[in-house]
Amino acid sequence: MDKNRFFRAIPKVDTLIEQCDSAGLFDRYGREITVDCIRERTEALREFIGKSEDETEIIRRTESLLPDIASAAEKLFSPNLKPVVNATGTVLHTNLGRALISRKHADHLMAMVSGYSNLEYDLEAGARGERYSHFEKLLCKITGAEAAMAVNNNAAAVMLTLSALCRGGEVPVSRGELVEIGGKFRVPDVMAQSGAVMVDLGTTNKTHLSDYEDAINENTVALLKVHTSNFRVVGFTESVSVAELVELGNKHGLPVIEDIGSGVLIDLSKYGLTYEPTVQESIRAGAAIVCFSGDKLLGGPQAGIIVGRRDYIKKIKKHPLTRAFRIDKFTAAALELTLQEYLSEENAIRNIPVLRMLTQPPMEIRERAEKLAAMLKNVNARVEVVDCESQVGGGSMPLERLRSSAVAIKPNGMTTASFEEALRRAKKPIICRVQEDRALMDMRTVQPGEAELIAAEVTEILGAK
């Protein structure tokens, strides 16, 4: 192959500049941006020619250079963060943004973020207020805690709590609870950054109350318990309950701090799910501080929520790191709206998208799958409704598998991999599972109105039979 022939076929930059100007790209995107895209895409084409042995593809890419430049310029002005259809069946999909905010709440949030608000202004007193005041009473009422606050995520909540209450002192924690919470962020690292001295005790599978008792000395300032919400150790195991730790802590004048992780406020075992300890139970057991996530099983925005004794919360609020970790007006408003739903368990299950998806009856999901399959009956593919299993995700309930239904699509005249890629590149990307060489649309996580969008995109990609 004479590659020099293909290199010579690439239009000169001056020629491309004239073509782009004539095509109106300068008017739409500006001269500087357009010229940068010309240089970037021509260099990419040269690199492709240097590596490729496919003459047909080289010619195609050379002939489509101008549209490629226009596409590159348009992409710079288009949001990279965009809404997607979650057809994976993973409810708390970390890569897809975890918990959803309901449409009703989103309408209120739009007013909060597009205008001024009383974020730190007390309307009754006509003076400066506190951003936690909008949801603190709700958290206390729901959990039974004396006081509450929130920061930007749960790792920050744990680190701030340890920094404010335990810096320089020893904090015993079970070796079996030294979890990695994702992205290589680990409990030992968080503790080290907080300035607390970690004392790990017990073994991976067994920790006894006597292990804590033996670790307590004059340098001990608190006892830490971390709920292993993102994995399970089964078999020959033993752990110490919060209540037992509290009794030991009271004996030695030490507070118990618990990182409960996923932030369950409702006993979900009533709805057929695996039992998960609730925040209320930890508070009733006597934990001085309980930290948990806002965007997992709570079903709210990303946040790290801290509830517990008033004297400890007051000290945490005054710590310098509190400002560095503080939440914004969007999070404060979204938390308030989410927590208001928990004043009625029935409302929470019905109106919080995460809880609604987790407690959907399998028969309802099956009916929705059959409706989507009917919309796709004429596409150029084999389409059928299949039984499948959804998962909770987000490091919550790792062993839980939820009975669900999916629409399985096996394209004709196109590989499943190419079909899956085309779905990801759609105007509103559709993210699905690939299983047994079929694209599965798990209907548990497909939101109202999205089935029609899926049907339209699939029909456009595959065409009719």
Side-chain angles (χ1 to χ4, degrees), residues 7 43 47 92-93 179 232 234 271 316 362 416 436:
F7 284 123
E43 182 58 35
E47 185 177 340
L92 293 170
H93 201 306
V179 301
R232 290 288 184 271
V234 297
Y271 301 91
I316 295 169
T416 302
E436 297 178 357

Side-chain angles (χ1 to χ4, degrees), residues 251-270:
K251 177 181 174 182
H252 294 274
L254 299 170
V256 172
I257 299 167
E258 182 175 21
D259 172 7
I260 202 168
S262 53
V264 185
L265 296 180
I266 290 174
D267 180 4
L268 295 176
S269 65
K270 294 187 291 185

Side-chain angles (χ1 to χ4, degrees), residues 115-127:
Y116 295 107
S117 66
N118 61 325
L119 178 64
E120 287 191 350
Y121 186 74
D122 188 328
L123 293 172
E124 292 186 7

Side-chain angles (χ1 to χ4, degrees), residues 314-356:
K314 185 176 181 180
K315 191 173 181 180
I316 295 169
K317 285 180 178 179
K318 290 182 176 180
H319 193 276
L321 280 177
T322 297
R323 185 172 180 84
F325 292 154
R326 74 178 181 178
I327 57 173
D328 66 352
K329 58 187 176 184
F330 171 87
T331 305
L335 261 181
E336 179 185 20
L337 292 169
T338 303
L339 291 167
Q340 283 175 339
E341 300 289 1
Y342 279 97
L343 295 175
S344 161
E345 183 174 315
E346 183 180 344
N347 285 346
I349 295 294
R350 182 176 60 248
N351 298 331
I352 295 176
V354 166
L355 299 182
R356 186 175 66 241

